[in-house]
Amino acid sequence: MRLHVADHPLVAHKLAVLRDASTPSVTFRLLVDELVTLLAYEATRDVRVDTVEIVTPVATTTGVKLAQPRPLVVPILRAGLGMLDGMTRLLPSAEVGFLGMQRDEETLEAITYANRLPDDLSGRQCFLLDPMLATGGTLVAAIDYLTARGARDVTCVCLIAAPEGLAVVEKAVGERADVSVVVAAVDERLNEKAYIVPGLGDAGDRLYGVV
Ligand code: URA
């Protein structure tokens, strides 16, 4: 597993506002969107491209275009949905799949309640979106879903990760797939309720309210 922590003052600034408990949902959603666009730039550094010939008004030259099959972006519902627009802004031709996952607050295990993914993901570059990499259970379950369908190249885009969750993902994925994690920050630890400290609270609730 490769870890990339986006080290940029704009990322740090936006994250600080997100962390602030007094930031209202409307601002929170806007900032998540902006932050993900910055993370998407890092996350797509190895996106596959093909060389193409182009005719400019002056000469013929070569450029690149995104290779086929198109990348697949998969937000993990519900909180990952808040990251979708920021990601597809940079990858407008990507296909979008969905995974509905929820953690059981007692066992902390991931429960899958919905999935809409292509059956065959061989050769596809996949981008999983989940704002909080806490215990790692949800992300490992999501990576399992994708690799069971043949994906071997998975980039996870998260806002904040806990060291405990990163260790779980690292141990679980092993050599099975080429997995990268791109985050805005790695925080201190998890608390007894498996929330990231200092974190930003419940990302889904802060995006969409307590429903
Ligand atoms: N999920 C969240 O939304 N926040 C955390 O801190 C941990 C998991």
Side-chain angles (χ1 to χ4, degrees), residues 79 103 105 130-135 160 190-191 193-205:
R103 72 174 176 179
E105 290 300 335
D130 192 10
M132 307 300 275
L133 200 180
T135 62
I160 302 178
L190 294 179
N191 69 12
K193 290 190 170 156
Y195 274 81
I196 299 176
V197 181
L200 49 72
D202 186 303
D205 288 354

Side-chain angles (χ1 to χ4, degrees), residues 5-80:
V5 184
D7 180 18
H8 193 289
L10 279 181
V11 168
H13 168 82
K14 290 177 198 299
L15 190 57
V17 185
L18 279 184
R19 289 185 190 278
D20 189 331
S22 68
T23 299
S25 277
V26 60
T27 313
F28 193 92
R29 280 197 295 270
L30 195 70
L31 281 167
V32 167
D33 184 67
E34 291 176 0
L35 195 45
V36 172
T37 302
L38 296 172
L39 295 180
Y41 181 74
E42 300 292 350
T44 52
R45 208 166 265 287
D46 293 325
V47 74
R48 279 196 290 273
V49 290
D50 289 330
T51 304
V52 290
E53 190 174 275
I54 334 156
V55 183
T56 80
V58 181
T60 298
T61 186
T62 52
V64 299
K65 67 168 191 186
L66 290 186
Q68 295 289 338
R70 291 185 284 164
L72 181 74
V73 175
V74 184
I76 301 178
L77 308 182
R78 120 184 114 132

Side-chain angles (χ1 to χ4, degrees), residues 5-207:
V5 184
D7 180 18
H8 193 289
L10 279 181
V11 168
H13 168 82
K14 290 177 198 299
L15 190 57
V17 185
L18 279 184
R19 289 185 190 278
D20 189 331
S22 68
T23 299
S25 277
V26 60
T27 313
F28 193 92
R29 280 197 295 270
L30 195 70
L31 281 167
V32 167
D33 184 67
E34 291 176 0
L35 195 45
V36 172
T37 302
L38 296 172
L39 295 180
Y41 181 74
E42 300 292 350
T44 52
R45 208 166 265 287
D46 293 325
V47 74
R48 279 196 290 273
V49 290
D50 289 330
T51 304
V52 290
E53 190 174 275
I54 334 156
V55 183
T56 80
V58 181
T60 298
T61 186
T62 52
V64 299
K65 67 168 191 186
L66 290 186
Q68 295 289 338
R70 291 185 284 164
L72 181 74
V73 175
V74 184
I76 301 178
L77 308 182
R78 120 184 114 132
L81 211 48
M83 302 171 76
L84 181 58
D85 286 351
M87 190 73 197
T88 52
R89 188 168 298 120
L90 286 200
L91 272 183
S93 59
E95 268 191 315
V96 180
F98 294 93
L99 265 178
M101 291 187 153
Q102 187 170 21
R103 72 174 176 179
D104 182 311
E105 290 300 335
E106 294 199 344
T107 64
L108 300 180
E109 283 189 9
I111 304 164
T112 305
Y113 62 86
N115 105 63
R116 178 90 195 207
L117 293 172
D119 289 335
D120 182 11
L121 292 177
S122 35
R124 296 292 285 266
Q125 279 184 303
C126 299
F127 294 88
L128 275 172
L129 309 180
D130 192 10
M132 307 300 275
L133 200 180
T135 62
T138 302
L139 209 55
V140 168
I143 293 167
D144 282 348
Y145 250 92
L146 301 183
T147 53
R149 285 167 171 72
R152 292 292 171 268
D153 183 340
V154 181
T155 300
C156 310
V157 185
C158 307
L159 301 181
I160 302 178
E164 296 92 327
L166 286 168
V168 166
V169 176
E170 167 115 62
K171 190 162 171 229
V173 297
E175 301 299 312
R176 220 155 25 99
D178 183 5
V179 174
S180 302
V181 178
V182 176
V183 294
V186 177
D187 274 6
E188 284 167 31
R189 61 184 170 87
L190 294 179
N191 69 12
E192 58 297 340
K193 290 190 170 156
Y195 274 81
I196 299 176
V197 181
L200 49 72
D202 186 303
D205 288 354
R206 295 209 57 197
L207 280 161

